[in-house]
Tab-separated table of all heavy atoms in Angstrom:
chain	number	residue	atom	x	y	z
A	205	ALA	N	-10.691	2.255	-8.319
A	205	ALA	CA	-11.538	3.217	-8.967
A	205	ALA	C	-12.905	3.286	-8.286
A	205	ALA	O	-13.340	4.388	-8.014
A	205	ALA	CB	-11.752	2.824	-10.408
A	206	SER	N	-13.521	2.222	-7.922
A	206	SER	CA	-14.794	2.289	-7.310
A	206	SER	C	-14.715	2.969	-5.928
A	206	SER	O	-15.624	3.705	-5.524
A	206	SER	CB	-15.422	0.881	-7.105
A	206	SER	OG	-14.790	0.216	-6.054
A	207	LEU	N	-13.660	2.798	-5.178
A	207	LEU	CA	-13.548	3.514	-3.940
A	207	LEU	C	-13.333	4.983	-4.204
A	207	LEU	O	-13.879	5.775	-3.504
A	207	LEU	CB	-12.326	2.944	-3.200
A	207	LEU	CG	-12.072	3.386	-1.723
A	207	LEU	CD1	-13.320	3.093	-0.945
A	207	LEU	CD2	-10.890	2.656	-1.210
A	208	HIS	N	-12.542	5.291	-5.287
A	208	HIS	CA	-12.367	6.646	-5.633
A	208	HIS	C	-13.649	7.397	-5.885
A	208	HIS	O	-13.825	8.540	-5.476
A	208	HIS	CB	-11.499	6.686	-6.859
A	208	HIS	CG	-10.699	7.954	-6.952
A	208	HIS	ND1	-9.512	8.038	-7.628
A	208	HIS	CD2	-10.859	9.133	-6.491
A	208	HIS	CE1	-9.007	9.241	-7.536
A	208	HIS	NE2	-9.820	9.968	-6.781
A	209	MET	N	-14.526	6.738	-6.656
A	209	MET	CA	-15.829	7.410	-6.974
A	209	MET	C	-16.775	7.635	-5.847
A	209	MET	O	-17.628	8.483	-5.854
A	209	MET	CB	-16.569	6.574	-8.016
A	209	MET	CG	-15.681	6.242	-9.159
A	209	MET	SD	-15.536	7.616	-10.339
A	209	MET	CE	-17.155	7.530	-11.067
A	210	ASP	N	-16.631	6.787	-4.831
A	210	ASP	CA	-17.679	6.761	-3.771
A	210	ASP	C	-17.800	8.171	-3.048
A	210	ASP	O	-16.915	8.681	-2.543
A	210	ASP	CB	-17.282	5.715	-2.717
A	210	ASP	CG	-18.419	5.419	-1.717
A	210	ASP	OD1	-18.979	6.364	-1.247
A	210	ASP	OD2	-18.691	4.179	-1.661
A	211	PRO	N	-18.948	8.774	-3.098
A	211	PRO	CA	-19.159	10.070	-2.535
A	211	PRO	C	-18.986	10.065	-1.031
A	211	PRO	O	-18.584	11.058	-0.458
A	211	PRO	CB	-20.628	10.436	-2.938
A	211	PRO	CG	-21.289	9.175	-3.347
A	211	PRO	CD	-20.243	8.219	-3.793
A	212	THR	N	-19.259	8.965	-0.287
A	212	THR	CA	-19.000	8.979	1.083
A	212	THR	C	-17.521	8.987	1.378
A	212	THR	O	-17.079	9.539	2.403
A	212	THR	CB	-19.619	7.736	1.809
A	212	THR	OG1	-19.288	6.528	1.117
A	212	THR	CG2	-21.088	7.889	1.930
A	213	VAL	N	-16.748	8.324	0.513
A	213	VAL	CA	-15.223	8.423	0.722
A	213	VAL	C	-14.843	9.883	0.483
A	213	VAL	O	-14.120	10.426	1.283
A	213	VAL	CB	-14.519	7.553	-0.338
A	213	VAL	CG1	-13.078	7.781	-0.304
A	213	VAL	CG2	-14.828	6.060	0.029
A	214	TYR	N	-15.316	10.459	-0.554
A	214	TYR	CA	-14.975	11.799	-0.887
A	214	TYR	C	-15.234	12.741	0.315
A	214	TYR	O	-14.449	13.636	0.631
A	214	TYR	CB	-15.899	12.214	-2.096
A	214	TYR	CG	-15.461	13.523	-2.827
A	214	TYR	CD1	-14.467	13.551	-3.730
A	214	TYR	CD2	-16.130	14.714	-2.451
A	214	TYR	CE1	-14.045	14.683	-4.359
A	214	TYR	CE2	-15.685	15.871	-3.115
A	214	TYR	CZ	-14.646	15.928	-4.005
A	214	TYR	OH	-14.312	17.026	-4.632
A	215	ALA	N	-16.431	12.517	0.976
A	215	ALA	CA	-16.762	13.394	2.057
A	215	ALA	C	-15.850	13.270	3.267
A	215	ALA	O	-15.872	14.132	4.094
A	215	ALA	CB	-18.241	12.999	2.502
A	216	THR	N	-15.198	12.098	3.400
A	216	THR	CA	-14.282	12.040	4.548
A	216	THR	C	-12.928	12.661	4.387
A	216	THR	O	-12.184	12.865	5.355
A	216	THR	CB	-13.959	10.473	4.950
A	216	THR	OG1	-13.251	9.990	3.826
A	216	THR	CG2	-15.215	9.714	5.162
A	217	LEU	N	-12.648	13.059	3.165
A	217	LEU	CA	-11.262	13.508	2.837
A	217	LEU	C	-11.254	15.074	2.762
A	217	LEU	O	-12.099	15.714	2.288
A	217	LEU	CB	-10.757	12.894	1.555
A	217	LEU	CG	-10.727	11.354	1.543
A	217	LEU	CD1	-10.236	10.921	0.195
A	217	LEU	CD2	-9.905	10.786	2.618
A	218	ARG	N	-10.094	15.571	3.214
A	218	ARG	CA	-9.788	17.000	3.037
A	218	ARG	C	-9.245	17.171	1.596
A	218	ARG	O	-8.857	16.158	0.987
A	218	ARG	CB	-8.769	17.399	4.097
A	218	ARG	CG	-9.370	17.236	5.487
A	218	ARG	CD	-8.308	17.467	6.559
A	218	ARG	NE	-7.839	18.813	6.500
A	218	ARG	CZ	-8.403	19.778	7.138
A	218	ARG	NH1	-9.504	19.587	7.876
A	218	ARG	NH2	-7.968	21.081	7.116
A	219	ARG	N	-9.172	18.421	1.226
A	219	ARG	CA	-8.801	18.703	-0.170
A	219	ARG	C	-7.445	18.133	-0.544
A	219	ARG	O	-7.309	17.526	-1.593
A	219	ARG	CB	-8.834	20.203	-0.399
A	219	ARG	CG	-8.574	20.569	-1.892
A	219	ARG	CD	-8.499	21.986	-2.113
A	219	ARG	NE	-9.674	22.692	-1.535
A	219	ARG	CZ	-9.670	24.035	-1.456
A	219	ARG	NH1	-8.810	24.802	-1.915
A	219	ARG	NH2	-10.775	24.632	-0.864
A	220	LYS	N	-6.459	18.271	0.407
A	220	LYS	CA	-5.148	17.771	0.142
A	220	LYS	C	-5.139	16.281	0.038
A	220	LYS	O	-4.429	15.669	-0.725
A	220	LYS	CB	-4.155	18.233	1.231
A	220	LYS	CG	-2.784	17.737	1.040
A	220	LYS	CD	-1.824	18.170	2.070
A	220	LYS	CE	-0.497	17.470	1.895
A	220	LYS	NZ	0.432	17.706	2.950
A	221	GLN	N	-5.887	15.599	0.886
A	221	GLN	CA	-6.016	14.130	0.863
A	221	GLN	C	-6.613	13.646	-0.479
A	221	GLN	O	-6.173	12.739	-1.023
A	221	GLN	CB	-6.848	13.587	2.042
A	221	GLN	CG	-6.139	13.864	3.379
A	221	GLN	CD	-6.994	13.661	4.535
A	221	GLN	OE1	-8.233	13.836	4.559
A	221	GLN	NE2	-6.414	13.265	5.686
A	222	ARG	N	-7.549	14.383	-0.976
A	222	ARG	CA	-8.112	14.017	-2.319
A	222	ARG	C	-7.088	14.131	-3.376
A	222	ARG	O	-6.997	13.350	-4.258
A	222	ARG	CB	-9.315	14.977	-2.650
A	222	ARG	CG	-10.555	14.598	-1.803
A	222	ARG	CD	-11.656	15.630	-2.118
A	222	ARG	NE	-12.608	15.731	-0.959
A	222	ARG	CZ	-13.225	16.813	-0.693
A	222	ARG	NH1	-13.133	17.893	-1.460
A	222	ARG	NH2	-14.097	16.762	0.352
A	223	ARG	N	-6.321	15.175	-3.211
A	223	ARG	CA	-5.214	15.384	-4.250
A	223	ARG	C	-4.215	14.237	-4.220
A	223	ARG	O	-3.869	13.668	-5.277
A	223	ARG	CB	-4.513	16.766	-4.007
A	223	ARG	CG	-3.312	16.935	-4.963
A	223	ARG	CD	-2.678	18.288	-4.818
A	223	ARG	NE	-2.049	18.553	-3.565
A	223	ARG	CZ	-0.903	18.064	-3.192
A	223	ARG	NH1	-0.314	17.112	-3.987
A	223	ARG	NH2	-0.437	18.377	-1.952
A	224	LEU	N	-3.889	13.825	-2.962
A	224	LEU	CA	-2.857	12.735	-2.866
A	224	LEU	C	-3.467	11.474	-3.422
A	224	LEU	O	-2.791	10.672	-4.079
A	224	LEU	CB	-2.572	12.492	-1.358
A	224	LEU	CG	-1.647	13.565	-0.661
A	224	LEU	CD1	-1.664	13.411	0.782
A	224	LEU	CD2	-0.289	13.436	-1.225
A	225	ALA	N	-4.779	11.253	-3.253
A	225	ALA	CA	-5.444	10.118	-3.768
A	225	ALA	C	-5.535	10.114	-5.283
A	225	ALA	O	-5.283	9.101	-5.940
A	225	ALA	CB	-6.887	9.979	-3.224
A	226	ARG	N	-5.737	11.339	-5.880
A	226	ARG	CA	-5.770	11.471	-7.312
A	226	ARG	C	-4.405	11.205	-7.931
A	226	ARG	O	-4.208	10.581	-8.904
A	226	ARG	CB	-6.239	12.827	-7.751
A	226	ARG	CG	-7.615	13.083	-7.954
A	226	ARG	CD	-7.898	14.329	-8.766
A	226	ARG	NE	-7.163	15.450	-8.279
A	226	ARG	CZ	-7.566	16.274	-7.318
A	226	ARG	NH1	-8.627	16.019	-6.673
A	226	ARG	NH2	-6.770	17.286	-6.900
A	227	GLU	N	-3.392	11.776	-7.240
A	227	GLU	CA	-2.035	11.707	-7.849
A	227	GLU	C	-1.383	10.381	-7.647
A	227	GLU	O	-0.391	10.044	-8.248
A	227	GLU	CB	-1.144	12.798	-7.228
A	227	GLU	CG	-1.554	14.159	-7.585
A	227	GLU	CD	-0.830	15.211	-6.850
A	227	GLU	OE1	-0.077	14.903	-5.938
A	227	GLU	OE2	-1.022	16.424	-7.145
A	228	ASN	N	-1.893	9.535	-6.700
A	228	ASN	CA	-1.302	8.248	-6.435
A	228	ASN	C	-2.270	7.080	-6.469
A	228	ASN	O	-2.718	6.602	-5.448
A	228	ASN	CB	-0.638	8.317	-5.033
A	228	ASN	CG	0.343	9.381	-4.812
A	228	ASN	OD1	1.463	9.304	-5.327
A	228	ASN	ND2	0.005	10.403	-4.281
A	229	PRO	N	-2.669	6.815	-7.723
A	229	PRO	CA	-3.670	5.708	-7.841
A	229	PRO	C	-3.420	4.436	-7.043
A	229	PRO	O	-2.237	4.005	-7.133
A	229	PRO	CB	-3.756	5.428	-9.346
A	229	PRO	CG	-3.205	6.693	-9.923
A	229	PRO	CD	-2.198	7.172	-9.059
A	230	GLY	N	-4.350	3.979	-6.272
A	230	GLY	CA	-4.132	2.786	-5.448
A	230	GLY	C	-4.034	3.074	-4.015
A	230	GLY	O	-4.219	2.191	-3.207
A	231	VAL	N	-3.668	4.349	-3.608
A	231	VAL	CA	-3.416	4.575	-2.215
A	231	VAL	C	-4.694	4.586	-1.378
A	231	VAL	O	-4.693	4.161	-0.221
A	231	VAL	CB	-2.731	5.926	-1.940
A	231	VAL	CG1	-1.339	5.965	-2.397
A	231	VAL	CG2	-3.531	7.083	-2.499
A	232	LEU	N	-5.834	5.002	-2.014
A	232	LEU	CA	-7.083	5.072	-1.235
A	232	LEU	C	-7.474	3.639	-0.737
A	232	LEU	O	-7.869	3.544	0.505
A	232	LEU	CB	-8.159	5.577	-2.191
A	232	LEU	CG	-9.105	6.599	-1.564
A	232	LEU	CD1	-8.386	7.600	-0.644
A	232	LEU	CD2	-9.812	7.347	-2.742
A	233	MET	N	-7.303	2.677	-1.513
A	233	MET	CA	-7.527	1.286	-1.170
A	233	MET	C	-6.703	0.934	0.016
A	233	MET	O	-7.127	0.263	0.978
A	233	MET	CB	-7.257	0.446	-2.329
A	233	MET	CG	-7.776	-0.888	-2.358
A	233	MET	SD	-9.560	-0.907	-2.166
A	233	MET	CE	-9.628	-2.529	-1.430
A	234	ALA	N	-5.393	1.254	-0.054
A	234	ALA	CA	-4.434	0.917	1.024
A	234	ALA	C	-4.803	1.678	2.381
A	234	ALA	O	-4.676	1.126	3.421
A	234	ALA	CB	-2.981	1.205	0.635
A	235	VAL	N	-5.257	2.923	2.175
A	235	VAL	CA	-5.615	3.728	3.344
A	235	VAL	C	-6.830	3.136	4.018
A	235	VAL	O	-6.964	2.895	5.275
A	235	VAL	CB	-5.902	5.137	2.969
A	235	VAL	CG1	-6.543	5.911	4.128
A	235	VAL	CG2	-4.599	5.932	2.554
A	236	ALA	N	-7.835	2.684	3.167
A	236	ALA	CA	-9.003	2.091	3.715
A	236	ALA	C	-8.662	0.742	4.438
A	236	ALA	O	-9.212	0.519	5.442
A	236	ALA	CB	-10.033	1.805	2.599
A	237	ARG	N	-7.791	-0.013	3.835
A	237	ARG	CA	-7.353	-1.292	4.472
A	237	ARG	C	-6.676	-0.922	5.763
A	237	ARG	O	-6.888	-1.562	6.822
A	237	ARG	CB	-6.393	-1.969	3.531
A	237	ARG	CG	-6.105	-3.428	3.974
A	237	ARG	CD	-5.287	-4.154	2.930
A	237	ARG	NE	-3.983	-3.585	2.742
A	237	ARG	CZ	-3.131	-4.159	1.925
A	237	ARG	NH1	-3.371	-5.239	1.197
A	237	ARG	NH2	-1.893	-3.555	1.763
A	238	GLY	N	-5.808	0.069	5.776
A	238	GLY	CA	-5.173	0.459	7.003
A	238	GLY	C	-6.119	0.854	8.146
A	238	GLY	O	-5.920	0.445	9.231
A	239	ALA	N	-7.093	1.676	7.648
A	239	ALA	CA	-7.997	2.168	8.788
A	239	ALA	C	-8.810	1.013	9.323
A	239	ALA	O	-9.074	0.990	10.511
A	239	ALA	CB	-9.036	3.169	8.081
A	240	ASN	N	-9.148	0.056	8.529
A	240	ASN	CA	-9.867	-1.183	9.067
A	240	ASN	C	-8.945	-2.005	9.940
A	240	ASN	O	-9.435	-2.508	10.981
A	240	ASN	CB	-10.448	-2.045	7.930
A	240	ASN	CG	-11.733	-1.426	7.489
A	240	ASN	OD1	-12.739	-1.360	8.192
A	240	ASN	ND2	-11.761	-0.932	6.196
A	241	GLN	N	-7.736	-2.066	9.546
A	241	GLN	CA	-6.748	-2.809	10.350
A	241	GLN	C	-6.577	-2.068	11.712
A	241	GLN	O	-6.517	-2.784	12.782
A	241	GLN	CB	-5.435	-2.815	9.656
A	241	GLN	CG	-4.431	-3.914	10.141
A	241	GLN	CD	-3.338	-4.133	9.195
A	241	GLN	OE1	-2.887	-3.156	8.489
A	241	GLN	NE2	-2.765	-5.343	9.196
A	242	ALA	N	-6.546	-0.786	11.718
A	242	ALA	CA	-6.410	0.023	12.994
A	242	ALA	C	-7.668	-0.263	13.914
A	242	ALA	O	-7.510	-0.490	15.087
A	242	ALA	CB	-6.309	1.507	12.683
A	243	ILE	N	-8.799	-0.279	13.371
A	243	ILE	CA	-10.035	-0.548	14.174
A	243	ILE	C	-9.949	-1.930	14.742
A	243	ILE	O	-10.126	-2.150	15.935
A	243	ILE	CB	-11.264	-0.380	13.282
A	243	ILE	CG1	-11.454	0.975	12.817
A	243	ILE	CG2	-12.454	-0.883	14.104
A	243	ILE	CD1	-12.525	1.129	11.807
A	244	MET	N	-9.639	-2.882	13.900
A	244	MET	CA	-9.579	-4.340	14.444
A	244	MET	C	-8.501	-4.445	15.501
A	244	MET	O	-8.826	-5.117	16.501
A	244	MET	CB	-9.291	-5.293	13.257
A	244	MET	CG	-10.465	-5.753	12.480
A	244	MET	SD	-10.124	-6.422	10.884
A	244	MET	CE	-8.584	-7.274	11.015
A	245	GLU	N	-7.397	-3.876	15.363
A	245	GLU	CA	-6.298	-4.004	16.283
A	245	GLU	C	-6.717	-3.217	17.554
A	245	GLU	O	-6.478	-3.784	18.630
A	245	GLU	CB	-4.973	-3.448	15.779
A	245	GLU	CG	-3.796	-3.693	16.543
A	245	GLU	CD	-3.558	-5.159	16.895
A	245	GLU	OE1	-3.895	-5.993	16.066
A	245	GLU	OE2	-3.070	-5.424	17.983
A	246	CYS	N	-7.269	-2.041	17.426
A	246	CYS	CA	-7.651	-1.298	18.584
A	246	CYS	C	-8.733	-2.111	19.438
A	246	CYS	O	-8.612	-2.236	20.640
A	246	CYS	CB	-8.249	0.071	18.176
A	246	CYS	SG	-8.719	1.144	19.498
A	247	GLN	N	-9.693	-2.713	18.767
A	247	GLN	CA	-10.722	-3.414	19.405
A	247	GLN	C	-10.095	-4.735	20.137
A	247	GLN	O	-10.629	-5.204	21.098
A	247	GLN	CB	-11.881	-3.800	18.452
A	247	GLN	CG	-12.612	-2.502	18.070
A	247	GLN	CD	-13.808	-2.653	17.289
A	247	GLN	OE1	-14.011	-3.783	16.715
A	247	GLN	NE2	-14.581	-1.580	17.180
A	248	HIS	N	-9.133	-5.272	19.407
A	248	HIS	CA	-8.536	-6.425	20.080
A	248	HIS	C	-7.703	-6.048	21.267
A	248	HIS	O	-7.888	-6.614	22.305
A	248	HIS	CB	-7.510	-7.087	19.096
A	248	HIS	CG	-6.577	-8.075	19.725
A	248	HIS	ND1	-6.983	-9.381	19.989
A	248	HIS	CD2	-5.324	-8.019	20.227
A	248	HIS	CE1	-6.001	-9.999	20.573
A	248	HIS	NE2	-5.026	-9.231	20.811
A	249	GLN	N	-6.905	-4.957	21.269
A	249	GLN	CA	-6.153	-4.549	22.342
A	249	GLN	C	-7.006	-4.083	23.557
A	249	GLN	O	-6.628	-4.188	24.722
A	249	GLN	CB	-5.159	-3.361	22.008
A	249	GLN	CG	-4.100	-3.742	21.031
A	249	GLN	CD	-3.071	-4.786	21.498
A	249	GLN	OE1	-2.937	-4.902	22.727
A	249	GLN	NE2	-2.380	-5.448	20.643
A	250	PHE	N	-8.223	-3.580	23.218
A	250	PHE	CA	-9.030	-2.955	24.292
A	250	PHE	C	-10.244	-3.805	24.602
A	250	PHE	O	-11.195	-3.391	25.268
A	250	PHE	CB	-9.441	-1.567	24.019
A	250	PHE	CG	-8.323	-0.656	24.134
A	250	PHE	CD1	-7.370	-0.455	23.062
A	250	PHE	CD2	-8.126	0.086	25.318
A	250	PHE	CE1	-6.266	0.388	23.206
A	250	PHE	CE2	-6.969	0.931	25.427
A	250	PHE	CZ	-6.072	1.073	24.448
A	251	ARG	N	-10.285	-5.074	24.165
A	251	ARG	CA	-11.477	-5.947	24.322
A	251	ARG	C	-11.909	-6.182	25.694
A	251	ARG	O	-13.061	-6.322	25.999
A	251	ARG	CB	-11.317	-7.273	23.492
A	251	ARG	CG	-10.287	-8.117	24.201
A	251	ARG	CD	-9.776	-9.251	23.253
A	251	ARG	NE	-8.707	-10.091	23.875
A	251	ARG	CZ	-7.485	-9.713	24.076
A	251	ARG	NH1	-7.033	-8.513	23.731
A	251	ARG	NH2	-6.593	-10.484	24.625
A	252	ASN	N	-10.951	-6.142	26.695
A	252	ASN	CA	-11.236	-6.468	28.049
A	252	ASN	C	-11.273	-5.184	28.917
A	252	ASN	O	-11.031	-5.259	30.108
A	252	ASN	CB	-10.289	-7.480	28.633
A	252	ASN	CG	-10.497	-8.705	27.969
A	252	ASN	OD1	-11.563	-9.160	27.567
A	252	ASN	ND2	-9.371	-9.569	27.779
A	253	ARG	N	-11.391	-4.017	28.281
A	253	ARG	CA	-11.381	-2.756	29.072
A	253	ARG	C	-12.666	-2.063	29.021
A	253	ARG	O	-13.490	-2.285	28.141
A	253	ARG	CB	-10.274	-1.873	28.575
A	253	ARG	CG	-8.829	-2.478	28.684
A	253	ARG	CD	-7.901	-1.436	28.318
A	253	ARG	NE	-7.805	-0.262	29.185
A	253	ARG	CZ	-6.898	-0.138	30.090
A	253	ARG	NH1	-5.994	-0.969	30.369
A	253	ARG	NH2	-6.962	0.994	30.931
A	254	ARG	N	-12.850	-1.168	29.968
A	254	ARG	CA	-14.114	-0.427	30.009
A	254	ARG	C	-14.351	0.322	28.725
A	254	ARG	O	-15.419	0.244	28.104
A	254	ARG	CB	-14.118	0.608	31.100
A	254	ARG	CG	-14.173	-0.007	32.529
A	254	ARG	CD	-14.200	1.093	33.518
A	254	ARG	NE	-14.074	0.710	34.851
A	254	ARG	CZ	-13.741	1.515	35.891
A	254	ARG	NH1	-13.558	2.712	35.733
A	254	ARG	NH2	-13.667	0.918	37.103
A	255	TRP	N	-13.328	1.011	28.256
A	255	TRP	CA	-13.454	1.615	26.894
A	255	TRP	C	-12.934	0.487	25.952
A	255	TRP	O	-11.758	0.025	26.097
A	255	TRP	CB	-12.565	2.866	26.794
A	255	TRP	CG	-12.611	3.410	25.441
A	255	TRP	CD1	-13.592	4.197	24.867
A	255	TRP	CD2	-11.614	3.402	24.477
A	255	TRP	NE1	-13.272	4.546	23.589
A	255	TRP	CE2	-12.034	4.106	23.297
A	255	TRP	CE3	-10.311	2.735	24.397
A	255	TRP	CZ2	-11.282	4.200	22.189
A	255	TRP	CZ3	-9.601	2.870	23.197
A	255	TRP	CH2	-10.066	3.589	22.094
A	256	ASN	N	-13.843	0.115	24.997
A	256	ASN	CA	-13.437	-1.024	24.128
A	256	ASN	C	-13.213	-0.657	22.675
A	256	ASN	O	-13.322	-1.577	21.811
A	256	ASN	CB	-14.450	-2.201	24.331
A	256	ASN	CG	-15.811	-1.795	23.883
A	256	ASN	OD1	-16.037	-0.636	23.437
A	256	ASN	ND2	-16.747	-2.734	23.965
A	257	CYS	N	-12.997	0.599	22.418
A	257	CYS	CA	-12.714	1.056	21.054
A	257	CYS	C	-13.862	0.855	20.142
A	257	CYS	O	-13.638	0.421	18.937
A	257	CYS	CB	-11.420	0.400	20.553
A	257	CYS	SG	-10.685	1.313	19.172
A	258	SER	N	-15.055	0.957	20.539
A	258	SER	CA	-16.184	0.742	19.654
A	258	SER	C	-16.231	1.888	18.690
A	258	SER	O	-15.874	3.060	18.902
A	258	SER	CB	-17.428	0.677	20.427
A	258	SER	OG	-17.650	1.665	21.356
A	259	THR	N	-16.725	1.611	17.520
A	259	THR	CA	-16.857	2.648	16.475
A	259	THR	C	-18.347	2.858	16.111
A	259	THR	O	-19.197	2.026	16.389
A	259	THR	CB	-16.151	2.210	15.158
A	259	THR	OG1	-16.677	0.970	14.701
A	259	THR	CG2	-14.628	2.092	15.461
A	260	LYS	N	-18.521	4.011	15.554
A	260	LYS	CA	-19.939	4.326	15.092
A	260	LYS	C	-20.031	4.094	13.618
A	260	LYS	O	-19.021	4.144	12.803
A	260	LYS	CB	-20.207	5.784	15.375
A	260	LYS	CG	-20.041	6.153	16.801
A	260	LYS	CD	-19.962	7.680	16.852
A	260	LYS	CE	-21.331	8.335	16.788
A	260	LYS	NZ	-21.956	8.467	18.075
A	261	ASN	N	-21.193	3.856	13.115
A	261	ASN	CA	-21.370	3.782	11.695
A	261	ASN	C	-21.067	5.168	10.995
A	261	ASN	O	-21.298	6.225	11.684
A	261	ASN	CB	-22.800	3.408	11.344
A	261	ASN	CG	-22.945	1.922	11.455
A	261	ASN	OD1	-21.998	1.175	11.317
A	261	ASN	ND2	-24.087	1.461	11.880
Side-chain angles (χ1 to χ4, degrees):
S206 75
L207 189 57
H208 204 156
M209 304 285 283
D210 194 309
T212 48
V213 172
Y214 193 82
T216 64
L217 302 180
R218 299 170 65 85
R219 188 185 306 172
K220 181 181 172 189
Q221 293 169 328
R222 291 178 200 148
R223 176 173 65 72
L224 287 167
R226 266 198 316 276
E227 290 173 356
N228 303 281
V231 291
L232 222 39
M233 197 55 206
V235 169
R237 190 171 66 175
N240 278 295
Q241 199 167 28
I243 295 171
M244 271 161 36
E245 190 55 33
C246 183
Q247 293 186 346
H248 169 79
Q249 296 292 341
F250 287 84
R251 66 200 179 284
N252 294 326
R253 297 185 64 101
R254 286 181 192 167
W255 178 76
N256 63 2
C257 201
S258 52
T259 55
K260 304 164 79 89
N261 282 329

